[in-house]
Amino acid sequence: MRAPWLVDSLKGAMSAEHFHLAWFLQGSSIQAWRAPWTGNISEEWMVPTLFLDLVRAMERACFDYILIEDSIYVGQNWKNSREIFLKNGMSIPRQEPSVVATMMAAVTSRLGIVPTLSTFAYHPYLCARILSTLDQVSTGRAGWNMVTGSSDLSAMNFGMDALPPHDQRYEMAEEYVEIVKRLFGSWEPGAIVADRESGVLIDHTKVHTIDFKGKYYSSRGPLNSGPAPQGQPVIAQAGGSDKGRGFAAKYADTIVAHPKGVDAMKQYREDIRTRMVQAGRNPESCKVLFLISPIVAESNEEARAKADQRAVAAEKNIDVRLAQFGWSTNLDLSDIDLDTPVGQLELSTNGHQSSLAQFLKRAGNKSLRDAIIGHNSNGGTVDLVGDPDSVAGRMREVMQEVGGDGFLLNLPDVSRRSVATITDGLVPELQQRGLVRRAYAHEHLRDNLLEF
Ligand SMILES: Cc1cc2nc3c(=O)[nH]c(=O)nc-3n(C[C@H](O)[C@H](O)[C@H](O)COP(=O)(O)O)c2cc1C
């Protein structure tokens, strides 16, 4: 624990150009089973000890939040078979994120915990109830990654034939979020009296029904789990399409985005800020964080060698990469000759539209083989390869050009060792430059997000 005077002096050391850091966690901890230095993870994954150590390290490095990604299906978008997904542990197994979130909350005290809850899978009342409970047990650190889902296979797990069309999903999500927000608001501040003398625990005049009747969802309220410490837990969103951006600009407190390259990042952020003003919001009230997958090693040469190894592995695993791409876009590309120019394929999706659009734009007329080697659906917005000093310097330049607000880190090979390259290698370099926080100023996630 740091002495209070030290906390204050560290706060004063922040420069004017500081930015936020968050972590994007994909999958179950078993997915690191073949990465070096993961210990006995293939036996221990059910109790996610690796992830609990990860959040402890992130809190030591003063990250704003961890976002726990989710999907609710077993892939079958390759040769119409589940084999490649199961054999390689691609997005399987996936534990229910709010349960894992609760364990993470228990071993941390300042880090924001942001599970993904998909709108097609949880009724809005249940979603609000889970989030208010998470906010309570974490003392004000809960967030919600609001996603509408993208796979018909997941819809089938919930008794539907397919997901509704892309744009309609966002229309439904508007109603959904309205209900969730109103349920959070169903408890007025000061509703819990707990007056032993009068014997009143809760002032019934301060707890209200919401009586929401929508086209897609309805809910009566009030929320029976009680008020959330943050009032309204934080909403994270990742809209890439026009509809998605419009939605994010209206509701999100933080946006996670992956436009490729500095110009696209800058444009994306400016577009969101313009849309926020049009929606009557202060653009400073939403922090846009850009996905990065930095390769950090002790020397630039070592980091470059690691990047080269990854590129070689990508060339060897074309079917796995195409299957992964098919997983997020709902496309089975297993029948297509790898030499076919991508420009000749007529691809469209009801899944992640912006992921497909980005792929098509970058592929141009390359063959499917070359296009998928160069494509990494979970890859970063900018390439960051080097020792802590050079990666920190590049992150500063990128943020200066983009204008803010921070980065969302994602490592394909999560292990205690790879996490330490970030939390104990890269982050201290950023801290010494006064770019990221060295101590939390607040208890609640929202307040930490709004700190700068
Ligand atoms: C960093 C990031 C994290 C995301 N996490 C999830 C997730 O956990 N579950 C999910 O179904 N979709 C996730 N998505 C997909 C988005 O919710 C959204 O569908 C996608 O960005 C495409 O945007 P669009 O629907 O506006 O085309 C994520 C996207 C990004 C960029």
Side-chain angles (χ1 to χ4, degrees):
M1 179 114 156
R2 287 191 177 112
W5 59 266
L6 180 58
V7 172
D8 282 347
S9 71
L10 291 175
K11 266 193 269 160
M14 299 282 293
S15 80
E17 45 180 1
H18 36 236
F19 51 77
H20 297 266
L21 292 177
W23 192 280
F24 181 44
L25 183 63
Q26 286 183 292
S28 146
S29 55
I30 199 178
Q31 270 141 21
W33 70 294
R34 290 216 298 170
W37 303 83
T38 47
N40 296 321
I41 202 67
S42 54
E43 291 145 40
E44 290 170 5
W45 67 274
M46 288 191 194
V47 180
T49 51
L50 172 64
F51 287 177
L52 300 185
D53 281 343
L54 166 68
V55 290
R56 287 185 186 104
M58 285 174 52
E59 184 158 272
R60 196 171 65 243
C62 296
F63 275 60
D64 285 67
Y65 62 83
I66 181 162
L67 188 145
I68 312 168
E69 182 252 9
D70 195 31
S71 61
I72 320 184
Y73 61 104
V74 181
Q76 195 170 316
N77 312 79
W78 188 253
K79 300 186 178 168
N80 195 25
S81 163
R82 291 178 292 281
E83 182 181 344
I84 199 167
F85 297 93
L86 290 166
K87 182 179 164 213
N88 294 287
M90 288 159 67
S91 306
I92 169 85
R94 275 283 192 283
Q95 294 178 309
E96 202 286 324
S98 63
V99 176
V100 177
T102 311
M103 292 187 75
M104 290 176 170
V107 298
T108 51
S109 63
R110 287 291 182 274
L111 183 71
I113 315 278
V114 184
T116 297
L117 300 174
S118 315
T119 53
F120 68 90
Y122 300 74
H123 188 277
Y125 190 92
L126 178 60
C127 175
R129 188 163 188 243
I130 291 172
L131 290 167
S132 70
T133 307
L134 183 62
D135 208 41
Q136 291 161 356
V137 301
S138 67
T139 55
R141 295 183 287 129
W144 167 34
N145 183 28
M146 200 298 312
V147 304
T148 62
S150 53
S151 170
D152 291 341
L153 293 171
S154 62
M156 288 175 206
N157 288 338
F158 292 82
M160 295 172 265
D161 294 333
L163 285 177
H166 177 272
D167 287 6
Q168 188 188 335
R169 294 206 293 273
Y170 279 113
E171 199 188 304
M172 295 170 76
E174 294 236 357
E175 257 186 28
Y176 189 110
V177 173
E178 278 303 326
I179 294 181
V180 169
K181 287 177 81 71
R182 288 186 202 194
L183 285 169
F184 290 147
S186 65
W187 287 67
E188 284 181 42
I192 300 186
V193 181
D195 182 353
R196 284 175 190 274
E197 256 173 45
S198 61
V200 176
L201 177 63
I202 298 160
D203 177 351
H204 76 281
T205 65
K206 292 189 170 165
V207 183
H208 311 284
T209 58
I210 63 165
D211 300 310
F212 189 101
K213 285 204 194 325
K215 185 167 157 197
Y216 304 104
Y217 305 100
S218 297
S219 181
R220 178 171 185 270
L223 197 57
N224 73 335
S225 44
Q230 293 182 99
Q232 297 278 334
V234 162
I235 297 182
Q237 221 268 324
S241 61
D242 181 54
K243 277 268 177 200
R245 289 178 187 212
F247 181 91
K250 204 162 158 192
Y251 294 107
D253 302 301
T254 178
I255 295 176
V256 289
H258 64 153
K260 301 284 176 200
V262 173
D263 290 343
M265 291 158 77
K266 192 171 173 172
Q267 257 174 31
Y268 182 94
R269 183 168 176 271
E270 281 167 8
D271 179 48
I272 291 288
R273 288 169 74 87
T274 307
R275 288 174 189 254
M276 285 184 74
V277 172
Q278 283 161 0
R281 294 182 67 197
N282 175 359
E284 298 302 322
S285 65
C286 176
K287 304 299 170 190
V288 181
L289 306 192
F290 294 98
L291 194 66
I292 53 170
S293 278
I295 300 180
V296 182
E298 278 173 46
S299 66
N300 287 330
E301 296 69 40
E302 213 181 297
R304 179 51 50 208
K306 209 170 159 194
D308 291 345
Q309 277 167 14
R310 280 211 194 138
V312 171
E315 286 184 36
K316 284 197 189 139
N317 290 305
I318 291 185
D319 51 352
V320 171
R321 290 173 77 84
L322 281 170
Q324 186 69 53
F325 179 66
W327 183 88
S328 65
T329 52
N330 264 336
L331 298 169
D332 186 333
L333 303 176
S334 55
D335 278 347
I336 299 173
D337 181 345
L338 290 176
D339 292 318
T340 315
V342 171
Q344 283 180 18
L345 302 171
E346 287 186 11
L347 302 177
S348 66
T349 181
N350 191 29
H352 293 180
Q353 292 197 347
S354 41
S355 305
L356 179 62
Q358 258 178 19
F359 172 75
L360 294 176
K361 191 169 161 206
R362 282 165 71 94
N365 224 21
K366 280 186 196 157
S367 67
L368 182 58
R369 176 186 290 103
D370 290 345
I372 203 69
I373 290 173
H375 178 77
N376 183 354
S377 43
N378 301 319
T381 45
V382 282
D383 287 337
L384 295 165
V385 180
D387 63 11
D389 176 58
S390 55
V391 172
R394 180 69 188 132
M395 285 170 76
R396 170 193 231 156
E397 279 168 14
V398 170
M399 263 304 113
Q400 277 173 341
E401 284 179 57
V402 172
D405 299 301
F407 294 103
L408 178 74
L409 283 92
N410 171 234
L411 293 190
D413 58 340
V414 176
S415 70
R416 290 175 180 88
R417 189 170 78 159
S418 66
V419 168
T421 64
I422 304 297
T423 55
D424 301 77
L426 176 62
V427 172
E429 284 290 336
L430 295 169
Q431 289 172 331
Q432 277 159 28
R433 289 167 164 79
L435 297 171
V436 298
R437 70 163 69 82
R438 302 179 97 173
Y440 290 99
H442 302 283
E443 266 187 40
H444 291 176
L445 168 58
R446 179 184 298 281
D447 295 338
N448 283 320
L449 270 177
L450 294 179
E451 186 192 349
F452 43 83

